Amino acid sequence: MAPVATTQDQNQTTYANGNSVSAKYDILEDYQGNYRFAPIEEAQVSRAMIKRYFTSMYERAVSDVVIVGAGSAGLSCAYTLASSRPDLKITIIEANVAPGGGAWLGGQLMTPMVIRKPADRFLREIGVDYEDEGNFVVVKHAALFTSTLLSKVLAFPNVVMMNATAVEDLIVVNDFEGKQRVAGVVTNWTLVALNHDTQSCMDPNTITAPVIISATGHDGPMGAFSAKRLVSAGLLKELGNMRGLDMNRAEPAIVNGTREVTPGLILTGMELSEHDGSNRMGPTFGAMIGSGVKAAKEAIHILDVAEVVNGKVVGKVTA
């Protein structure tokens, strides 16, 4: 059987001094035992990653919107923001190596995902098929929804995601009106954040942004982070704490309650249930989509009326 493809690939390298060097690589896509890759130096691999990753960190030290948590609510928010406002620098911080939160499964380790109407509109927008059950729809595997949404979000040129990165704190400043305002996030690599008690001081980094959207889910190892930090920072008297499961109360409460809970900080998804004391809905995901979409709209409204300089809100836009 003939090889699938054989190619003499022309590669042009331009150095900092302006000189260019061309090289032909003998590569072959042959699955009969003679597959040949273009040659590479180990340092090239390291530099390719380092250059791009730390360039992103440098550029996103000042962002327009930071989304904390890349679960179903955070990703739905990111998609809506990025598609409607390509001018915004949207930075997603996800503590886990694998983004997606709890949306890789439906419920109790079962794969189908139930989504109540009218959130099915979002499925059609991102191109995810489903079975229509009348008042709700079912996606055959939750991972189909999550992987599709994740790939579309990451394809936007104005979105950067830093996974395996934890938000350790919120930046809180006195704003132009003398009010306390959330003005950014304090970050560290998750493996560092998990080992503060076993190592010497490992200081964090920061990202400044006029709007922070927190979508860290309900209480857990890293869940409800921003809501809990509001209490310990004295910006919220106490958590409402999530109430028992009631799907019919829970989902509209989460979507309708999605808002800026303190200047500069929007809560979305199940983190809001811990803040407000609303019910949990369990294995139905329409509220996560709807809440993420509403959080994006709330962020746009905040940005539209804010005067922002170097990532900081310094005043209000006057007509």
Side-chain angles (χ1 to χ4, degrees):
M1 181 180 293
V4 174
T6 179
T7 310
Q8 292 289 331
D9 191 53
Q10 188 80 13
N11 184 66
Q12 180 117 342
T13 302
T14 302
Y15 294 96
N17 60 11
N19 294 332
S20 296
V21 175
S22 296
K24 283 188 175 181
Y25 301 137
D26 180 21
I27 62 176
L28 181 65
E29 188 179 5
D30 175 10
Y31 296 97
Q32 303 302 312
N34 197 33
Y35 197 110
R36 294 195 298 275
F37 287 96
I40 199 166
E41 297 290 334
E42 283 76 11
Q44 289 179 290
V45 176
S46 295
R47 285 172 171 166
M49 293 187 296
I50 291 167
K51 177 181 179 180
R52 288 161 177 80
Y53 189 86
F54 285 101
T55 295
S56 291
M57 286 189 72
Y58 181 88
E59 292 175 345
R60 294 310 176 100
V62 176
S63 297
D64 293 311
V65 179
V66 172
I67 299 174
V68 187
S72 49
L75 290 175
S76 298
C77 177
Y79 177 88
T80 304
L81 264 178
S83 57
S84 58
R85 288 292 299 272
D87 58 305
L88 296 178
K89 292 195 298 182
I90 301 161
T91 303
I92 306 172
I93 307 297
E94 168 55 48
N96 287 309
V97 171
W104 292 109
L105 292 166
Q108 196 173 327
L109 303 184
M110 293 182 284
T111 55
M113 174 180 270
V114 174
I115 295 174
R116 291 166 67 192
K117 294 179 177 180
D120 57 315
R121 180 205 60 80
F122 190 79
L123 297 179
R124 293 189 293 276
E125 183 173 343
I126 65 173
V128 172
D129 291 334
Y130 55 79
E131 295 179 55
D132 195 323
E133 295 284 352
N135 53 335
F136 64 91
V137 302
V138 183
V139 179
K140 71 175 183 179
H141 200 301
L144 174 61
F145 166 78
T146 303
S147 60
T148 301
L149 179 56
L150 181 60
S151 65
K152 288 185 177 294
V153 166
L154 291 177
F156 285 114
N158 58 328
V159 172
V160 166
M161 177 184 288
M162 298 175 186
N163 44 321
T165 304
V167 170
E168 293 191 334
D169 204 353
L170 302 172
I171 299 173
V172 181
V173 302
N174 285 323
D175 68 6
F176 65 98
E177 295 178 316
K179 297 178 181 178
Q180 294 279 279
R181 182 181 186 88
V182 175
V185 293
V186 179
T187 63
N188 217 326
W189 285 311
T190 302
L191 292 177
V192 173
L194 292 173
N195 282 282
H196 283 311
D197 293 336
T198 63
Q199 301 293 324
S200 60
C201 183
M202 297 176 286
D203 281 329
N205 207 342
T206 63
I207 301 175
T208 298
V211 178
I212 308 300
I213 301 172
S214 193
T216 66
H218 53 67
D219 196 13
M222 292 186 177
F225 173 82
S226 297
K228 290 187 287 189
R229 188 66 180 104
L230 289 179
V231 176
S232 60
L235 298 176
L236 179 67
K237 183 179 179 181
E238 61 185 5
L239 289 178
N241 295 317
M242 182 172 64
R243 299 297 196 262
L245 190 149
D246 183 338
M247 292 180 181
N248 287 301
R249 278 192 290 175
E251 293 208 272
I254 291 298
V255 178
N256 295 327
T258 299
R259 66 195 185 280
E260 185 182 33
V261 298
T262 198
L265 178 67
I266 296 169
L267 292 188
T268 183
M270 290 309 296
E271 184 167 5
L272 192 65
S273 68
E274 299 288 359
H275 182 280
D276 289 357
S278 57
N279 297 86
R280 68 185 299 173
M281 73 281 305
T284 174
F285 289 80
M288 299 301 96
I289 293 171
S291 180
V293 172
K294 188 179 181 191
K297 295 180 182 296
E298 294 288 313
I300 291 170
H301 172 72
I302 293 169
L303 291 170
D304 283 347
V305 299
E307 182 183 353
V308 180
V309 177
N310 294 325
K312 298 179 180 180
V313 176
V314 297
K316 293 182 179 178
V317 175
T318 55

